[in-house]
Amino acid sequence: MPNIIAVVCASYGLAQSVCDGEDLPARAERFFRSDHTNNWAVLVCTSRFWFNYRHVANTLSVYRSVKRLGIPDSHIVLMLADDMACNHRNPKPATVFSHKNMELNVYGDDVEVDYRGYEVTVENFLRVLTGRLPPSTPRSKRLLSDDHSNILIYLTGHGGNGFLKFQDSEEISNVELADAFEQMWQKRRYNELLFIIDTCQGASMYERFYSPNLMALASSQVGEDSLSHQPDLAIGVHLMDRYTFYLLEFLEDIHPASQANMNDLFKVCPKSQCVSTPGHRTDLFQRDPGSVLITDFFGSVRKVEITMETINLTVPGIPLERFGGEPHTETALAYVDQLPVAQIIHQKPKQKDWHPPDGFILGLWTLILLVFFRTYGIKHLKHIF
Amino acid sequence: MKVRPVLSDPEKQRGRSAAVAIAALVIAAGIPLWWKTTETYRAWLPAARIGELEALQLELRVEVEVVFARGTLSPEQQKKVPASRMHKTGLKFTYETRFRTATVMEEDALNQPTAAEADHALHTLTETSCGSVVIYIIPEASALLPQDMRVYVGRSRTALLRSQVASVVGAGLPEVLAALDPQMEQVLQTMSFNHQDVTAALTDRLRPGLSTRDSLADSMRAFKSSPGYEITFSLLNPDPKHHQLHWDVEAALDAYIYPLLHKMAPVANFSVDSQILYYAVLGVNPRYDASASAYTLSADSLAHVINPVEARLGSNAASSNPVLNFLLYVPDSLHSPLIIRNDQKQEVASNAFHSPRWGGIMVYNVDGAYGNDTQFPVDIAIDMSRVMGVFLSQLRLMLGFQQTGAPPGFVLEAAGREGVAEWELDRLLWSRSVENVATASASITSLAQLLDQIANIVINDNIAQQVASAVTALQAAVAELEAGNLALALEHSREAISASERAFFDPSLLHLLYFPDDQKFAIYIPLFLPMCVPILLSLLKIFREVQQHRFDKLE
């Protein structure tokens, strides 16, 4: 008996070591399967006003998933009108729900909106993509991607054939979007880009792409409308769009180590569930979609290498001269008066009581009357008094 | 029936001349005025010079000095040593070699007992310019190198090459030089640059697939050329109740990191800061391994360590420069000691790992510093030299110094306290210059193409000025590379790239001017049609009357 066990254990051990031996080239393969080193996400909700609640909920749900899978806030550019949570019509202030019966609050208390309110414009969106921001823009509002970044771009709102409406006042056309992506490619601002759009006639927005390494998904074809999912009777508006709802259900099953690939993503929300026909475009993408992991775009799985070499510095040395020169004399610093109360209070005009006219006015009128009577004669005096 | 008033001839004539005058005014003055006022201001760009940039051929020249020590050449060979020689290898590299024999002081230096001391002595004798290489040929029987090693590469730009050709009487000088050539080429490819480096630096402009796996890994690991970098050193203490950590990071930075950054000043600006984070944990639960009686982190789980920590790191950066993070993690007392295992389940000596283009993390175990019944919290001073040894090597990888793979028969002197050898720095400068030149010329050409394509973008004067200065700096950089002046070439290439980036990313170059044709018609027709129709019709009428008049006259 023990012999058999020993043999089994030995063979198991042998198999294990063989597997480990094979793992090494497999690991090296994985290092090179996708050549990205960091992930970025640009999530844009292009609508405002209370009846477009679902677009904000869409964007916030995708934001939550992307954060859960590992992309930090510093690598997410979130553009929202952000007028839902504190809207007068919101029965539950400071919340944005994505499931009916108020199950899931996607607003939370750590959402970081980079462009809010009226800052969500076509100009700002294109500036973020192409990098042509004024020098005073802070880091959190910039897309600081490099040639090994995978970027996820998610747009939602109201759209039409070849355009997407931004905040009811302007629109972005598919030609402009394609040109913006081409400019990103010219400066190698992305390694691979996944473009997801959830609007009516969404497929028209990716028709004009011509830059390499782009993959696009849309919730509906040209001529079709994307429909919303479910209203909540307490809040009174539709909470989510169908495509994003099923996309989120799909993403709930993804964890950072998951091996699901893009072909699974293409199957999300078939016509029976979505009523519209989702479309996708992969002809500009160089890799086969079956080999692209979901976490390549939605998560942030870092490539890691063990540090094999170290430098031997343990020879006790006298520290070299301090770079930076002379020690700085510490000047006492004080805060500028943050709230100059005196100035603010003085801004309100003081309520003055009525005073009778002062000497100057009296003298002026006396002069005028005197001149009048001198000119026209004293006989007019009786008409006045 | 309405009676049409009959116009007398002079009235008709006046009418005609009025119509013609109006038409003339519209055509002569109106159209140019409309053109001028709807024109966008476009400053002149040097399109011809930009077009030349596309066909730019890079030529790199290295100045090599070969010094023959005593005993390598016979006296008559010594007399025939040529002064200099040019050697073009491959497509783009030129080695300008100068030959001479060793001076007395250099002979004395070469008589030192070990190669390291000889190298140090030689370094103090001569001043080598940036980008050049000096090779000392030492006799075969020399004891400076171990028996099987042929080449010793020192910390500055010198190499000692053991002469293979025994000084056979009768072997002419050309044979000696010919025998030296392949070895010299190998030395130069290690110390200076080789085809792979240049190709890797130009990967943007070349088709993918041309670079090898190693160079791809290197290019993924190192940051792209940028005008500045922000480096942050963080100490993570998840257990302040038990460990009171002291790290003298300022002194350590002064002693170990700043020398390297000071040497890299021609390449980029660096800004360094440090922070301590309390109650910051790694996002992964380590497993206890009874055989090693330690907690282990396997190589798979390392990838998931970084993201939860990064959210807490914060950044002091006010600029858009890339940020390098170096984290020192001291495990809490419940999970000490914590060791990292690699793929083969072996312990990693450095206990550290790094992520390309992000930075590195080192795990520092302090469980050996105290026993079980000490009073908590324990004061622990961190051995900064060990920590900085790891961080320095990670920093070198991030900045672009490749992992040195010494060819067989070579001894490469480790960098030691200065952090980087001069020839390694030269290698980086070569690849950075080439990369800067390639990126800048790609930016300029694509910008010119963009501005050409979109006729409605306004080109301000400052953009034209930036483009012109970028083109000038580019041409200067290429000229300096051809002449072999590496330091000047790097400076010009940095100027070129900063000017081209500023021109390309200027906020005024936003193209929001896509008008589909039907929109253009919709704007112009209500304005111009009501005005043009009467003019055209009256001109037509005049023309027909004149024809009729001529016809009548002929009859």
Side-chain angles (χ1 to χ4, degrees):
Chain A
M1 250 351 203
N3 294 350
I4 300 176
I5 297 176
V7 165
V8 165
C9 289
S11 58
Y12 176 74
L14 193 64
Q16 187 79 349
S17 60
V18 165
C19 282
D20 279 348
E22 273 170 14
D23 256 345
L24 188 54
R27 292 249 165 75
E29 278 305 315
R30 217 183 307 141
F31 194 98
F32 290 103
R33 205 194 312 181
S34 76
D35 39 351
H36 73 279
T37 58
N38 51 28
N39 285 79
W40 286 80
V42 179
L43 310 173
V44 183
C45 163
T46 62
S47 314
R48 62 185 302 115
F49 307 130
W50 176 248
F51 49 84
N52 291 321
Y53 190 100
R54 58 191 186 281
H55 298 141
V56 172
N58 287 350
T59 318
L60 284 173
S61 316
V62 175
Y63 172 75
R64 290 265 156 237
S65 299
V66 149
K67 261 178 85 162
R68 178 179 59 86
L69 290 172
I71 303 186
D73 268 316
S74 53
H75 285 230
I76 302 179
V77 178
L78 180 61
M79 303 175 74
L80 284 182
D82 205 15
D83 56 351
M84 302 299 158
C86 299
N87 199 303
H88 309 298
R89 295 157 82 169
N90 193 349
K92 281 255 186 144
T95 60
V96 173
F97 292 107
S98 67
H99 282 64
K100 68 172 188 229
N101 300 327
M102 302 191 192
E103 280 166 15
L104 183 61
N105 174 19
V106 287
Y107 201 65
D109 44 3
D110 62 341
V111 66
E112 196 180 288
V113 182
D114 298 305
Y115 288 85
R116 59 160 22 102
Y118 290 107
E119 290 174 353
V120 181
T121 58
V122 174
E123 181 183 335
N124 280 348
F125 178 55
L126 289 180
R127 281 195 194 277
V128 164
L129 286 184
T130 54
R132 297 205 169 104
L133 289 158
S136 57
T137 317
R139 253 184 115 98
S140 58
K141 282 188 163 182
R142 288 183 190 254
L143 179 64
L144 294 169
S145 54
D146 54 29
D147 60 328
H148 285 296
S149 302
N150 276 8
I151 306 184
L152 165 73
I153 298 189
Y154 176 82
L155 292 173
T156 182
H158 290 290
N161 188 359
F163 66 92
L164 174 60
K165 188 170 70 160
F166 262 71
Q167 301 219 342
D168 261 0
S169 61
E170 47 184 9
E171 57 191 38
I172 184 173
S173 62
N174 48 4
V175 176
E176 278 177 323
L177 196 57
D179 283 342
F181 286 155
E182 174 64 15
Q183 294 203 32
M184 287 175 80
W185 175 249
Q186 291 282 331
K187 282 305 281 177
R188 298 297 183 271
R189 276 165 69 78
Y190 67 89
N191 175 38
E192 287 167 350
L193 199 142
L194 177 63
F195 176 78
I196 303 183
I197 183 163
D198 187 355
T199 65
C200 304
Q201 309 194 50
S204 64
M205 287 306 283
Y206 61 66
E207 271 174 2
R208 300 287 194 114
F209 289 171
Y210 55 94
S211 316
N213 287 350
L214 293 178
M215 194 188 313
L217 282 103
S219 59
S220 55
Q221 302 292 334
V222 174
E224 285 180 349
D225 288 336
S226 287
L227 301 179
S228 55
H229 185 59
Q230 39 177 224
D232 181 295
L233 296 175
I235 298 181
V237 286
H238 286 260
L239 292 183
M240 282 275 268
D241 278 331
R242 281 176 192 246
Y243 183 75
T244 311
F245 184 81
Y246 291 108
L247 177 70
L248 247 62
E249 253 187 29
F250 173 76
L251 285 177
E252 288 295 316
D253 293 330
I254 308 286
H255 55 90
S258 139
Q259 298 287 314
N261 59 33
M262 281 294 159
N263 283 334
D264 304 326
L265 193 61
F266 295 154
K267 296 196 202 110
V268 162
C269 203
K271 197 172 163 84
S272 54
Q273 283 174 331
C274 250
V275 185
S276 59
T277 320
H280 55 90
R281 178 175 180 182
T282 53
D283 58 320
L284 294 167
F285 204 72
Q286 285 182 359
R287 290 192 289 153
D288 170 44
S291 69
V292 180
L293 297 179
I294 301 284
T295 51
D296 279 351
F297 288 104
F298 284 91
S300 172
V301 180
R302 302 271 183 178
K303 294 191 177 15
V304 160
E305 288 178 314
I306 307 277
T307 307
M308 303 306 296
E309 283 187 10
T310 66
I311 297 182
N312 186 6
L313 294 172
T314 46
V315 175
I318 316 139
L320 307 173
E321 77 271 18
R322 290 186 75 110
F323 283 78
E326 327 76 44
H328 317 284
T329 49
E330 293 287 332
T331 55
L333 302 168
Y335 275 110
V336 170
D337 197 2
Q338 300 288 320
L339 194 65
V341 175
Q343 284 176 23
I344 294 174
I345 289 187
H346 277 148
Q347 275 169 11
K348 263 199 292 197
K350 277 205 234 166
Q351 296 279 5
K352 284 205 173 122
D353 301 325
W354 183 84
H355 293 291
D358 56 358
F360 174 66
I361 303 290
L362 280 176
L364 191 65
W365 277 108
T366 315
L367 185 64
I368 291 172
L369 284 172
L370 216 59
V371 169
F372 172 75
F373 286 119
R374 284 285 293 205
T375 322
Y376 294 107
I378 206 82
K379 60 182 190 300
H380 292 280
L381 198 57
K382 65 174 188 295
H383 295 288
I384 301 186
F385 292 110
Chain B
M1 194 175 114
K2 220 169 171 191
V3 176
R4 228 180 249 160
V6 176
L7 290 172
S8 58
D9 256 334
E11 281 181 11
K12 265 200 190 158
Q13 192 61 31
R14 230 181 324 159
R16 253 182 249 142
S17 42
V20 169
I22 291 176
L25 191 68
V26 163
I27 293 175
I31 289 185
L33 195 68
W34 166 68
W35 190 262
K36 228 25 180 96
T37 47
T38 53
E39 200 180 52
T40 47
Y41 177 72
R42 294 171 74 96
W44 179 82
L45 288 179
R49 289 165 73 194
I50 296 175
E52 278 170 28
L53 286 179
E54 284 248 32
L56 205 56
Q57 286 286 347
L58 274 178
E59 252 204 50
L60 305 172
R61 173 192 296 240
V62 184
E63 289 181 1
V64 186
E65 201 173 323
V66 178
V67 183
F68 289 100
R70 192 169 358 147
T72 45
L73 292 176
S74 63
E76 59 268 11
Q77 284 171 340
Q78 268 187 2
K79 285 199 209 96
K80 287 196 243 161
V81 163
S84 78
R85 188 182 61 172
M86 298 268 282
H87 179 44
K88 280 186 190 287
T89 66
L91 320 151
K92 307 169 196 166
F93 317 136
T94 309
Y95 296 120
E96 180 180 336
T97 324
R98 277 181 297 142
F99 298 92
R100 63 180 177 85
T101 50
T103 62
V104 177
M105 289 187 293
E106 285 170 346
E107 290 291 341
D108 283 339
L110 284 171
N111 278 336
Q112 301 278 336
T114 64
E117 289 174 26
D119 178 61
H120 185 69
L122 286 170
H123 177 56
T124 51
L125 282 178
T126 52
E127 181 71 41
T128 47
S129 72
C130 190
S132 63
V133 176
V134 183
I135 303 180
Y136 288 91
I137 315 281
I138 53 179
E140 195 159 347
S142 162
L144 278 179
L145 299 174
Q147 272 307 103
D148 46 345
M149 293 295 157
R150 287 181 298 118
V151 180
Y152 171 83
V153 178
R155 283 197 193 156
S156 62
R157 300 183 178 99
T158 55
L160 303 176
L161 175 61
R162 193 204 295 274
S163 158
Q164 292 285 5
V165 178
S167 39
V168 177
V169 176
L173 187 60
E175 280 94 11
V176 173
L177 291 178
L180 272 180
D181 268 347
Q183 300 172 43
M184 267 192 354
E185 182 145 344
Q186 212 182 14
V187 171
L188 284 171
Q189 288 202 344
T190 313
M191 284 182 73
S192 181
F193 51 80
N194 52 21
H195 191 69
Q196 268 183 350
D197 291 346
V198 176
T199 320
L202 291 173
T203 36
D204 267 355
R205 301 187 81 189
L206 300 178
R207 296 185 321 270
L210 275 185
S211 48
T212 65
R213 212 26 70 103
D214 290 328
S215 61
L216 181 63
D218 280 334
S219 80
M220 275 171 68
R221 193 181 301 121
F223 278 93
K224 285 208 87 75
S225 167
S226 155
Y229 298 95
E230 319 262 351
I231 307 180
T232 306
F233 292 91
S234 311
L235 172 64
L236 274 69
N237 186 359
D239 199 6
K241 280 204 291 269
H242 293 115
H243 301 142
Q244 182 105 320
L245 299 171
H246 301 280
W247 73 334
D248 191 5
V249 64
E250 273 197 57
L253 287 176
D254 268 344
Y256 305 120
I257 304 287
Y258 284 148
L260 171 63
L261 298 184
H262 194 63
K263 275 201 184 155
M264 298 231 3
V267 180
N269 299 326
F270 290 92
S271 120
V272 182
D273 51 26
S274 66
Q275 62 178 343
I276 305 182
L277 289 176
Y278 293 105
Y279 294 106
V281 292
L282 298 181
V284 186
N285 278 329
R287 282 222 187 92
Y288 186 70
D289 186 4
S291 59
S293 67
Y295 289 86
T296 59
L297 276 178
S298 66
D300 302 339
S301 52
L302 291 177
H304 307 294
V305 165
I306 295 182
N307 284 327
V309 173
E310 188 176 4
R312 294 208 45 192
L313 278 180
S315 152
N316 194 21
S319 64
S320 317
N321 291 331
V323 178
L324 286 92
N325 292 299
F326 293 101
L327 272 58
L328 182 64
Y329 181 74
V330 176
D332 49 330
S333 56
L334 290 173
H335 290 111
S336 276
L338 180 63
I339 54 179
I340 298 179
R341 288 244 165 93
N342 61 9
D343 293 326
Q344 286 94 9
K345 304 282 185 273
Q346 291 159 348
E347 223 177 279
V348 172
S350 60
N351 223 17
F353 60 99
H354 57 269
S355 175
R357 296 204 179 183
W358 184 80
I361 301 184
M362 176 179 177
V363 177
Y364 187 91
N365 289 313
V366 295
D367 57 313
Y370 55 91
N372 258 344
D373 42 344
T374 41
Q375 177 111 28
F376 289 120
V378 182
D379 277 314
I380 300 173
I382 295 184
D383 178 14
M384 292 309 290
S385 57
R386 192 161 71 100
V387 168
M388 283 300 166
V390 172
F391 282 162
L392 193 58
S393 70
Q394 287 176 342
L395 180 62
R396 280 168 45 112
L397 285 174
M398 297 288 142
L399 289 176
F401 296 103
Q402 286 134 6
Q403 277 173 335
T404 48
F410 275 58
V411 173
L412 296 174
E413 176 74 24
R417 290 209 47 198
E418 297 98 37
V420 65
E422 310 250 337
W423 58 271
E424 283 181 316
L425 189 60
D426 281 352
R427 255 187 110 138
L428 182 69
L429 295 188
W430 283 113
S431 66
R432 275 295 152 92
S433 316
V434 169
E435 188 187 332
N436 285 351
V437 165
T439 313
S441 68
S443 299
I444 296 284
T445 43
S446 95
L447 179 64
Q449 200 184 13
L450 170 77
L451 294 175
D452 239 356
Q453 254 179 346
I454 303 171
N456 284 333
I457 279 193
V458 177
I459 306 179
N460 288 327
D461 279 332
N462 67 328
I463 297 176
Q465 194 193 31
Q466 297 284 355
V467 168
S469 70
V471 171
T472 317
L474 260 179
Q475 288 172 337
V478 170
E480 296 288 355
L481 279 177
E482 266 187 48
N485 304 327
L486 184 55
L488 282 175
L490 183 71
E491 211 180 289
H492 284 299
S493 72
R494 269 185 84 184
E495 250 178 64
I497 201 176
S498 82
S500 68
E501 298 280 305
R502 235 176 296 146
F504 194 94
F505 287 118
D506 192 273
S508 71
L509 282 182
L510 192 65
H511 164 225
L512 265 188
L513 306 166
Y514 171 69
F515 296 124
D517 284 332
D518 44 358
Q519 281 191 19
K520 278 198 200 124
F521 282 135
I523 291 176
Y524 279 134
I525 283 180
L527 287 176
F528 288 135
L529 204 61
M531 180 190 72
C532 284
V533 166
I535 295 180
L536 279 172
L537 286 179
S538 57
L539 280 178
L540 262 169
K541 190 167 167 215
I542 292 172
F543 181 64
R544 240 183 270 131
E545 281 181 4
V546 164
Q547 270 215 318
Q548 185 76 23
H549 190 68
R550 232 187 261 153
F551 189 61
D552 287 340
K553 250 195 174 168
L554 279 176
E555 275 188 354

